[in-house]
Amino acid sequence: MAVTLKQIADKVGVHPSTVSRVLTGRHENFSVGEALRARILDAAKEMNYVPNELARGLRLQKSHTIGIVVPDILNPLYAGLVRSIEKENINERYSFLICNTDEDQEKEIKHIEMLRNKRMDGLLIVPVQKKMDHIKALWAENYPFVLILRRFEKLTTNAVVMENAQDAYKAVEHLIKLGHRRIGFVRGRRTSYEIQGRERGYRSALAAYHIAVDPRCIVGDGCSADDGYAAAKELIKQSNMPSALLVSENVIIVGVLEALFEAGLSIPYDVSVVSFADMTFSPFFSTPLTTISMPIDQIGKESMQILLKQMASPEIHLGRIKTLSGNFIIRKSTHKAFGS
Amino acid sequence: MAVTLKQIADKVGVHPSTVSRVLTGRHENFSVGEALRARILDAAKEMNYVPNELARGLRLQKSHTIGIVVPDILNPLYAGLVRSIEKENINERYSFLICNTDEDQEKEIKHIEMLRNKRMDGLLIVPVQKKMDHIKALWAENYPFVLILRRFEKLTTNAVVMENAQDAYKAVEHLIKLGHRRIGFVRGRRTSYEIQGRERGYRSALAAYHIAVDPRCIVGDGCSADDGYAAAKELIKQSNMPSALLVSENVIIVGVLEALFEAGLSIPYDVSVVSFADMTFSPFFSTPLTTISMPIDQIGKESMQILLKQMASPEIHLGRIKTLSGNFIIRKSTHKAFGS
DNA sequence: TTGAAAGCGGTACCAG
DNA sequence: CTGGTACCGCTTTCAA
């Protein structure tokens, strides 16, 4: 169906290799005579030539495509990440094949397998982090990749992550300084790197201010709005419900707000709320949310830069780990505790 | 670097074609002896064979990849669309290469060119709609594609679109029945299909109730939050500002709300607002928004189904145009007009 | 400056 | 049931 080099060659009356030389333009105007060059260019345009990247890729051993594996592109955090990665794609040399895992380990494994089959030149992965063999395999085979937001402690792969413990510490400290003593932690998926860091920060802030950790204050294990809803419900029904909440992830905040609203609790007067959240709309909520916001653009930029460097020399493990800090933004959802 | 069929063949001591037969598993257990079959499978696993889809693709003339072109994956409307498309990808036969146009016609043209170079098996496109030659070209060459949300009146390509005029009509009628007479229309990009339809609906609803259209009530031409902000500002500074607003697109509503908020106008008491919007968070806004919501899942599903059908027989133009209706959801941002 | 030929990694058809 | 071969479309090295 599609026009090939050979067809152009036949039409112009030259050998396919000559056409190739002209069309790839690698050797500029040197290797092929000017007149012939023009004739070939004309013929290609006239015949609507569409170069076959599959064939080029096979020959050159590169697909000019980068695979991106994220939990869910519907989450603005990951959508933003993808866009910022794209911005670092100088000269539009690469395109991006995007996969969603929904935090399902088996999906991730399948997707990465597929991305390898399709010979992605590099991989950008927010890993599910339940298994790591498939990541280790990439590592062992010098397959260029960068982990984003989550990394494996035991593996010095390229990674761009957040100062999760520190970020959470700051948020909890803010609440403590407002006089809160009983502070709830609405946890996301326990197995994931960010959440573990944030829980550490939560605990160490309490410890620093000599507040005992009540295990009943730590609820939840999931990253959907529904999980947040259920977790908040659990806190609400407790006899001495926390006067302040740290919500550990983006999307679950929606469920938390819903539960609080349903229970007739007002923010911040009945309960103060701080959330790890990155939503354009945070300022428009009935109570604008105090949040720890992530430098998404920078995360994407760093990840892509490291990946490009790694792809340039796959045999040398960069082992580059970049750690970034969140930005604590005080809005209206936190308030002094009563009686303090 | 990577293991090839031939290497497996050498190791097992058979011909590559035999290995191919086993590994593709197309002919099931027939064509190759059970013992040999097992030995090949073992060897492949042991050697960590990763089939080369570039080579397969070249040979089979298909990439097993579908190109998706959307304005902006950060817009939850398009992110949702992508996820719903994915859901229709039965057996995970395809992966998706996603491109953002930012409503830039040249970017779209470049992206589609690249998608053709990479030999996408099919294309799903939300077109920018300033030029159509490149779309016509796809059409002329029987390249399978489906347009989503926007179509060209003059081209009977496959498309899944909304009943924009009718949807807008309903919204405006709702406002009129609440007693509003001066109703503003915050328009998105004038050139795009949805917006044109929605403007038609706006105008015909006013006409049906014998209300003259004041051109000063129609503002804006762009799809960003900033555009919405500017457009709303323009309305606000008018001497007799509309008592109700129809906002024609998803993201601009954010700017509109900001402008109203800044001007100290309360919704719905100072001004009623209806928006075309699809955001998980609409219910959480300080005033939950009355919206026309789109059946995103169905749009994605239909688009993908039509595309799959079209890919099955590229030479026959399906010319299938599916039109869906929005869902009018009354929340709290609309109120009776004063003095009515 | 241009042509010829080999090969990237697979698949499929035709023999045997 | 297995082997041999040609070819998918393009790039590149070597000759001429």
Side-chain angles (χ1 to χ4, degrees):
Chain A
M1 193 63 236
V3 177
T4 68
L5 278 188
K6 186 169 182 335
Q7 294 177 39
I8 299 177
D10 288 349
K11 172 139 187 171
V12 178
V14 293
H15 197 270
S17 57
T18 306
V19 180
S20 170
R21 274 187 283 255
V22 172
L23 261 28
T24 58
R26 193 174 311 283
H27 318 278
E28 293 303 326
N29 21 25
F30 292 114
S31 52
V32 179
E34 206 43 58
L36 181 53
R37 178 186 186 67
R39 279 206 298 144
I40 290 175
L41 250 18
D42 284 351
K45 184 163 294 177
E46 188 195 341
M47 298 171 79
N48 288 318
Y49 174 64
V50 180
N52 188 327
E53 268 291 332
L54 259 35
R56 291 194 73 216
L58 175 60
R59 176 66 234 233
L60 299 175
Q61 302 280 35
K62 58 179 73 159
S63 61
H64 304 288
T65 311
I66 287 171
I68 300 183
V69 181
V70 290
D72 180 11
I73 196 73
L74 243 172
N75 185 329
L77 168 59
Y78 303 117
L81 196 59
V82 168
R83 295 299 323 247
S84 64
I85 288 166
E86 242 182 2
K87 268 188 227 146
E88 279 304 299
N89 177 26
I90 320 296
N91 302 121
E92 260 116 65
R93 285 162 46 70
Y94 297 97
S95 25
F96 299 93
L97 215 158
I98 297 170
C99 306
N100 297 288
T101 63
D102 296 309
E103 303 285 8
D104 175 335
Q105 184 62 76
E106 296 312 311
K107 273 196 200 174
E108 174 184 295
I109 292 173
K110 281 254 185 300
H111 282 141
I112 291 181
E113 183 187 343
M114 177 274 293
L115 292 169
R116 300 185 56 169
N117 291 349
K118 293 199 171 150
R119 291 300 189 268
M120 298 293 110
D121 295 340
L123 260 31
L124 255 12
I125 308 170
V126 180
V128 173
Q129 272 192 321
K130 283 186 184 151
K131 299 183 182 170
M132 63 182 286
D133 282 357
H134 58 299
I135 305 287
K136 266 190 189 156
L138 293 173
W139 171 258
E141 295 169 40
N142 296 338
Y143 202 115
F145 71 101
V146 178
L147 299 184
I148 306 183
L149 296 177
R150 305 172 185 171
R151 52 176 297 264
F152 298 93
E153 302 286 5
K154 296 164 202 155
L155 221 53
T156 353
T157 61
N158 300 311
V160 177
V161 295
M162 298 293 301
E163 285 288 13
N164 294 296
Q166 201 175 290
D167 290 345
Y169 185 102
K170 271 190 223 157
V172 173
E173 189 172 45
H174 166 74
L175 293 171
I176 293 173
K177 287 185 170 166
L178 285 173
H180 296 279
R181 285 296 170 270
R182 191 165 177 76
I183 299 173
F185 182 63
V186 182
R187 182 169 50 195
R189 287 176 57 251
R190 306 182 61 154
T191 47
S192 77
Y193 179 85
E194 320 89 288
I195 303 305
Q196 285 175 2
R198 288 166 192 171
E199 183 169 341
R200 270 203 311 284
Y202 165 82
R203 287 175 184 276
S204 62
L206 291 182
Y209 287 85
H210 310 294
I211 301 173
V213 174
D214 182 343
R216 295 195 314 151
C217 280
I218 302 180
V219 292
D221 177 12
C223 53
S224 70
D226 287 348
D227 294 325
Y229 180 85
K233 278 281 181 203
E234 200 177 322
L235 283 178
I236 290 167
K237 75 179 180 205
Q238 290 178 12
S239 50
N240 58 344
M241 185 197 155
S243 67
L245 256 45
L246 173 61
V247 180
S248 67
E249 224 168 32
N250 202 351
V251 171
I252 53 183
I253 182 66
V254 173
V256 170
L257 292 178
E258 206 177 329
L260 293 177
F261 179 77
E262 252 185 50
L265 294 167
S266 113
I267 305 172
Y269 302 106
D270 294 320
V271 56
S272 284
V273 176
V274 182
S275 179
F276 282 86
D278 280 278
M279 298 182 291
T280 334
F281 311 115
S282 305
F284 295 98
F285 284 161
S286 42
T287 305
L289 279 176
T290 294
T291 58
I292 301 106
S293 101
M294 299 198 207
I296 302 188
D297 279 351
Q298 206 188 339
I299 300 173
K301 180 176 163 171
E302 298 276 358
S303 311
M304 184 66 176
Q305 283 178 354
I306 297 174
L307 182 63
L308 289 171
K309 206 170 288 176
Q310 184 65 81
M311 286 177 354
S313 46
E315 66 289 351
I316 303 164
H317 281 210
L318 253 42
R320 181 111 178 71
I321 296 175
K322 180 85 188 176
T323 309
L324 303 169
S325 284
N327 198 358
F328 190 55
I329 301 173
I330 297 175
R331 293 201 186 85
K332 310 257 181 192
S333 63
T334 49
H335 191 271
K336 265 198 186 147
F338 290 102
S340 71
Chain B
M1 193 65 237
V3 177
T4 69
L5 276 189
K6 184 170 182 334
Q7 293 177 40
I8 298 177
D10 289 349
K11 172 138 185 172
V12 179
V14 292
H15 196 271
S17 58
T18 306
V19 179
S20 171
R21 273 187 285 255
V22 172
L23 260 28
T24 58
R26 194 175 308 284
H27 319 277
E28 293 303 326
N29 19 28
F30 292 115
S31 51
V32 179
E34 206 43 58
L36 180 55
R37 178 186 185 68
R39 279 205 300 144
I40 290 175
L41 250 18
D42 285 351
K45 185 164 292 177
E46 187 194 343
M47 300 171 79
N48 288 318
Y49 174 65
V50 180
N52 187 328
E53 268 290 333
L54 259 34
R56 291 194 72 216
L58 176 58
R59 179 66 237 227
L60 299 175
Q61 302 281 35
K62 58 179 75 160
S63 62
H64 304 288
T65 310
I66 287 171
I68 301 183
V69 180
V70 291
D72 180 10
I73 196 75
L74 244 173
N75 185 328
L77 168 60
Y78 303 117
L81 196 58
V82 168
R83 294 300 325 246
S84 64
I85 288 166
E86 242 183 2
K87 267 188 227 145
E88 279 304 299
N89 177 25
I90 319 296
N91 303 121
E92 260 114 65
R93 285 162 44 72
Y94 297 96
S95 24
F96 299 94
L97 216 157
I98 298 169
C99 304
N100 297 288
T101 63
D102 296 309
E103 304 285 10
D104 175 337
Q105 184 64 73
E106 295 313 310
K107 273 196 200 175
E108 175 185 292
I109 292 173
K110 280 253 183 305
H111 282 141
I112 291 181
E113 183 188 343
M114 177 274 293
L115 293 169
R116 300 184 57 170
N117 290 349
K118 293 201 170 148
R119 293 299 190 268
M120 298 293 112
D121 294 340
L123 259 33
L124 256 11
I125 308 171
V126 180
V128 173
Q129 272 192 321
K130 282 184 185 153
K131 298 183 183 171
M132 63 181 287
D133 282 357
H134 57 299
I135 305 285
K136 266 190 190 156
L138 293 173
W139 169 258
E141 295 168 39
N142 295 338
Y143 203 115
F145 72 100
V146 177
L147 299 184
I148 306 182
L149 295 177
R150 304 171 185 170
R151 52 178 297 264
F152 298 93
E153 303 286 5
K154 295 163 203 156
L155 220 55
T156 352
T157 61
N158 300 312
V160 177
V161 295
M162 298 293 301
E163 285 288 12
N164 294 296
Q166 199 175 291
D167 290 345
Y169 187 100
K170 272 190 223 158
V172 173
E173 188 172 46
H174 165 74
L175 293 170
I176 293 173
K177 286 187 171 165
L178 285 172
H180 295 279
R181 285 295 170 271
R182 193 165 174 78
I183 299 173
F185 181 62
V186 181
R187 181 170 50 193
R189 287 176 57 251
R190 307 182 60 155
T191 48
S192 76
Y193 180 85
E194 320 88 289
I195 303 305
Q196 285 174 2
R198 288 167 194 171
E199 184 170 341
R200 269 204 313 283
Y202 164 83
R203 287 174 184 276
S204 63
L206 291 183
Y209 287 85
H210 310 294
I211 302 173
V213 174
D214 181 344
R216 295 195 314 148
C217 281
I218 302 180
V219 293
D221 178 12
C223 55
S224 71
D226 287 348
D227 294 324
Y229 179 86
K233 277 281 181 203
E234 201 177 320
L235 282 179
I236 290 167
K237 75 178 179 206
Q238 290 178 12
S239 50
N240 58 345
M241 185 198 155
S243 66
L245 256 46
L246 172 62
V247 179
S248 68
E249 224 168 33
N250 201 351
V251 170
I252 52 182
I253 182 65
V254 173
V256 171
L257 292 178
E258 207 175 329
L260 293 177
F261 178 77
E262 252 184 52
L265 295 168
S266 114
I267 304 172
Y269 303 107
D270 294 321
V271 56
S272 284
V273 176
V274 182
S275 178
F276 281 87
D278 279 278
M279 298 182 289
T280 334
F281 312 115
S282 304
F284 293 98
F285 284 161
S286 43
T287 305
L289 280 176
T290 294
T291 58
I292 301 106
S293 100
M294 298 196 208
I296 302 188
D297 279 351
Q298 206 189 339
I299 299 174
K301 180 176 163 172
E302 298 275 0
S303 311
M304 184 66 177
Q305 282 177 354
I306 295 174
L307 182 64
L308 289 172
K309 206 170 287 178
Q310 184 66 79
M311 287 177 354
S313 47
E315 67 289 351
I316 303 163
H317 281 210
L318 252 41
R320 181 112 176 70
I321 296 174
K322 180 85 188 176
T323 310
L324 302 169
S325 283
N327 199 358
F328 190 55
I329 301 173
I330 298 176
R331 294 201 186 87
K332 309 257 180 190
S333 64
T334 48
H335 190 272
K336 264 195 187 151
F338 290 102
S340 71

